[in-house]
């Protein structure tokens, strides 16, 4: 599971990792409801209630692939979200926290086109982020190729 705030590179790294390994890639953004996407586009942060249905759908997908490897890109900002994501998942889960400075990620969001996540929400994501004390922390300022190689080494 690739986790971190919006704009840290989860989708980019997940896609490249999937190409490199042949492992199926799932992007949690795909499972957001229209209501959640509209809310985020307006710059309104999601709360725990907004995320419950979304997390349940992603968890169902992970359980569906329990007998296979899968790469998931998901913000998973709080520990309770991470626990919800993997509830009932039988295979070993590797966590990769894509970490970077606010300024760098904000610049990335400014350059992003046609995405529902408003750059105004980045601060709210950093505010609620509970950095896990497990998994592998990846500095997003590294080259994409180095990040991919580091992840492959661990899995």
């Amino acid at each position: 599971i690739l986790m971190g705030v919006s704009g840290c590179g989860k989708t980019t790294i997940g896609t490249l990792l999937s190409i490199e390994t042949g492992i199926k890639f799932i992007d949690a953004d795909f499972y957001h409801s229209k209501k959640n996407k509209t809310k985020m586009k307006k710059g309104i942060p999601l709360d725990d209630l907004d995320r419950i249905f979304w997390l349940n759908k992603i968890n169902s997908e992970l359980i569906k692939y329990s007998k296979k490897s899968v790469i998931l890109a998901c913000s998973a900002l709080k520990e309770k979200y991470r626990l919800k994501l993997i509830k009932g998942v039988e295979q070993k889960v590797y966590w990769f926290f894509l970490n970077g400075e606010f300024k760098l990620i904000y610049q990335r969001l400014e350059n992003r086109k046609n995405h529902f996540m408003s750059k105004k929400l980045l601060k709210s994501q950093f505010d609620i982020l509970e950095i896990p004390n497990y998994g592998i922390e990846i500095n997003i300022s590294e080259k994409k190729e180095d990040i991919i190689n580091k992840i492959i080494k661990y899995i």
Side-chain angles (χ1 to χ4, degrees):
I1 298 177
L2 306 170
M3 60 146 305
V5 298
S6 185
C8 71
K10 297 180 298 288
T11 300
T12 299
I13 297 300
T15 301
L16 293 172
L17 193 57
S18 177
I19 292 166
E20 183 71 25
T21 63
I23 297 172
K24 180 174 177 56
F25 173 61
I26 298 173
D27 191 336
D29 283 349
F30 178 78
Y31 297 92
H32 273 298
S33 67
K34 195 173 186 175
K35 178 184 164 200
N36 281 2
K37 287 180 181 179
T38 300
K39 199 171 180 180
M40 288 184 280
K41 198 170 214 146
K42 291 180 179 177
I44 303 167
L46 299 182
D47 59 28
D48 289 354
L49 288 175
D50 293 321
R51 289 185 173 97
I52 289 173
F53 185 67
W54 174 65
L55 291 167
N56 285 337
K57 287 197 291 189
I58 300 164
N59 173 256
S60 293
E61 283 299 301
L62 290 178
I63 289 171
K64 191 187 324 181
Y65 290 99
S66 274
K67 302 294 182 213
K68 300 175 184 173
S69 294
V70 67
I71 298 163
L72 171 67
C74 182
S75 54
L77 299 172
K78 293 183 179 181
E79 181 63 19
K80 67 181 176 180
Y81 302 163
R82 294 188 285 271
L83 292 173
K84 184 78 155 160
L85 283 171
I86 63 169
K87 185 177 182 177
V89 173
E90 295 175 13
Q91 78 255 38
K92 180 162 179 52
V93 176
Y94 296 92
W95 292 93
F96 296 93
F97 171 45
L98 302 181
N99 194 8
E101 294 182 19
F102 181 90
K103 185 177 177 182
L104 170 63
I105 296 173
Y106 191 84
Q107 288 171 341
R108 287 182 176 187
L109 291 177
E110 282 189 312
N111 294 327
R112 189 190 277 185
K113 304 291 182 233
N114 301 319
H115 195 276
F116 58 83
M117 176 68 177
S118 168
K119 64 185 177 200
K120 296 180 216 169
L121 294 176
L122 185 59
K123 183 175 178 340
S124 70
Q125 287 202 331
F126 269 95
D127 288 346
I128 68 165
L129 175 64
E130 296 172 4
I131 297 174
N133 59 2
Y134 51 86
I136 307 302
E137 186 172 332
I138 306 278
N139 184 333
I140 64 167
S141 62
E142 294 180 36
K143 289 192 274 185
K144 289 180 223 168
E145 298 79 21
D146 293 340
I147 292 172
I148 298 300
N149 289 334
K150 191 177 284 188
I151 292 171
I152 288 172
K153 179 180 138 187
Y154 284 102
I155 59 173

